[in-house]
Amino acid sequence: MVTLRDVAGHAGVSVSVVSRVLNSDPSVRIRPETRQRILDSAQLLRYSPNSAGRALRRSRTHMLAFVVPDVTNATFTDLVNGVESRALDHDYSVVLASSPRMQPGSDGFARLLNERLVDGVLLQKGDEAPLDLVARALSHPERTVLINSGPVDGVTTLAIDDVAAGGLATRHLIELGHTRIGYVGGVPTSDTSDRRRAGVEQALAAAGLTLPPEHTTALGYTYRSARDAARLLLGRQPAPTAVVVGNVNAGIGVLTEAAQMGIRVPEDLSVVAIHDIWPAITCAPALTTVRLPMANLGAAAVDLLLAGLEKTAGPSRPTSGIVDDPAPELVLRASTAPPTA
């Protein structure tokens, strides 16, 4: 293994100078050509710093944990990519965790920060967990950022503009001529679903329309729960001619159940789902979606977490934010059309 002493010998300088240059010490005073010779020597010898020793010196692991409810959920793919890419920009690595034993309040979650296994945690809570209870269960809220959540007292949170997403989907259906529009939502404890429903209701109100209770469900974002929701909504009279679905996985379930019931999409029913993943293209018909800036959300969450970790003077003050750049974008496919009657 190549050491600092090897690099120093190759470059013809002291070990301490090599250490200061490779650690970007701004106070080191050397000629530019000497600095470049050290960097060239380190690259030639393929020197790799001892991350464990550096962590001990700096009381940092340079590791972050990203905890999600289900690592197989395709809606998290862009979010994970955004987190990992931005963490690498800051010389951090990311541990991805997904299991009931890694949720707030569990021993596994507490060990991450109590034993300094990581410097901070990015947490995407499960929809079934009430936000205030999750916040109270955090062992180190000052080193945690809740993603796709908030605001909540005492914890830094960051979300996407769910209200805008719900409104965008609804306005598209209104512009097509639909007046009976339903909403297939998440479970009652899902704050993302609450915000997306608020966007639906605001867009309807602006057009002089309402969201009747009989045209809404709160059974969850899963494929199976959405099939149940679709059977409930589409079996009522009068049935909605269009629905906004709070999650793309649920949107695929709505398409499946509509086909089973003999309801044609988009001739009899238009469907727009929030989130955009590649399976939406493979549906029959292809599913119209609202694309959200999930990668940007992940990157911004890393920035927010690391900025909080750098605040050494005085208590850090939790903040809440919304990532709205770029804004939610409508992706038109074949599942929406003007009503036939």
Side-chain angles (χ1 to χ4, degrees):
M1 177 178 178
V2 177
T3 66
L4 284 175
R5 189 173 300 278
D6 297 325
V7 176
H10 190 274
V13 296
S14 69
V15 173
S16 63
V17 169
V18 171
S19 176
R20 294 171 68 184
V21 168
L22 296 184
N23 283 287
S24 301
D25 184 348
S27 66
V28 62
R29 295 176 179 271
I30 58 173
R31 291 177 300 192
E33 56 268 26
T34 304
R35 180 189 299 273
Q36 188 60 50
R37 190 167 70 250
I38 292 171
L39 296 175
D40 291 343
S41 294
Q43 182 178 19
L44 179 65
L45 297 176
R46 297 183 180 179
Y47 170 74
S48 177
N50 186 325
S51 58
R54 183 173 60 183
L56 287 173
R57 291 192 300 274
R58 298 182 179 180
S59 298
R60 291 283 181 89
T61 65
H62 273 255
M63 297 285 291
L64 302 177
F66 184 24
V67 181
V68 297
D70 179 7
V71 73
T72 66
N73 190 329
T75 62
F76 295 141
T77 301
D78 287 342
L79 183 60
V80 171
N81 288 340
V83 166
E84 288 185 329
S85 178
R86 185 55 58 86
L88 288 171
D89 289 343
H90 291 284
D91 295 324
Y92 270 79
S93 298
V94 178
V95 177
L96 183 63
S98 171
S99 94
R101 295 181 63 184
M102 292 305 299
Q103 296 303 307
S106 68
D107 291 341
F109 188 92
R111 286 184 60 231
L112 287 173
L113 293 173
N114 290 346
E115 299 182 17
R116 299 299 304 229
L117 301 178
V118 297
D119 294 329
V121 173
L122 301 157
L123 172 63
Q124 164 79 60
K125 79 174 186 68
D127 286 329
E128 297 77 12
L131 182 57
D132 57 339
L133 294 183
V134 170
R136 289 202 295 269
L138 296 175
S139 56
H140 290 271
E142 76 282 1
R143 290 196 279 138
T144 305
V145 170
L146 283 171
I147 300 181
N148 255 349
S149 299
V152 62
D153 290 340
V155 185
T156 298
T157 63
L158 194 64
I160 45 181
D161 198 344
D162 292 302
V163 175
L168 179 62
T170 307
R171 286 192 296 275
H172 169 61
L173 297 173
I174 292 171
E175 289 166 1
L176 288 174
H178 293 278
T179 57
R180 295 200 311 271
I181 298 173
Y183 177 64
V184 176
V187 294
T189 49
S190 170
D191 52 322
T192 62
S193 183
D194 288 343
R195 292 191 294 272
R196 292 167 190 176
R197 174 173 172 157
V200 172
E201 292 175 329
Q202 290 175 17
L204 288 172
L209 303 171
T210 60
L211 180 64
E214 62 270 21
H215 285 172
T216 68
T217 63
L219 301 183
Y221 284 156
T222 67
Y223 172 82
R224 180 68 260 175
S225 66
R227 292 193 62 174
D228 294 339
R231 185 161 289 275
L232 282 173
L233 288 185
L234 302 178
R236 292 169 178 163
Q237 294 299 325
T241 63
V243 292
V244 175
V245 187
N247 177 278
V248 68
N249 296 318
I252 296 171
V254 169
L255 291 183
T256 302
E257 193 61 30
Q260 288 290 314
M261 296 174 68
I263 296 173
R264 299 170 302 163
V265 176
E267 293 85 356
D268 304 322
L269 176 72
S270 285
V271 182
V272 183
I274 295 174
H275 278 300
D276 186 47
I277 58 176
W278 70 264
I281 305 173
T282 67
C283 296
L287 182 59
T288 294
T289 62
V290 175
R291 181 177 295 147
L292 301 174
M294 300 302 288
N296 290 38
L297 174 65
V302 171
D303 289 341
L304 196 59
L305 177 60
L306 295 182
L309 296 178
E310 294 300 326
K311 292 180 181 177
T312 57
S316 59
R317 181 171 298 176
T319 59
S320 297
I322 293 177
V323 174
D324 54 9
D325 185 17
E329 175 189 3
L330 187 69
V331 183
L332 287 173
R333 297 194 180 101
S335 67
T336 54
T340 57

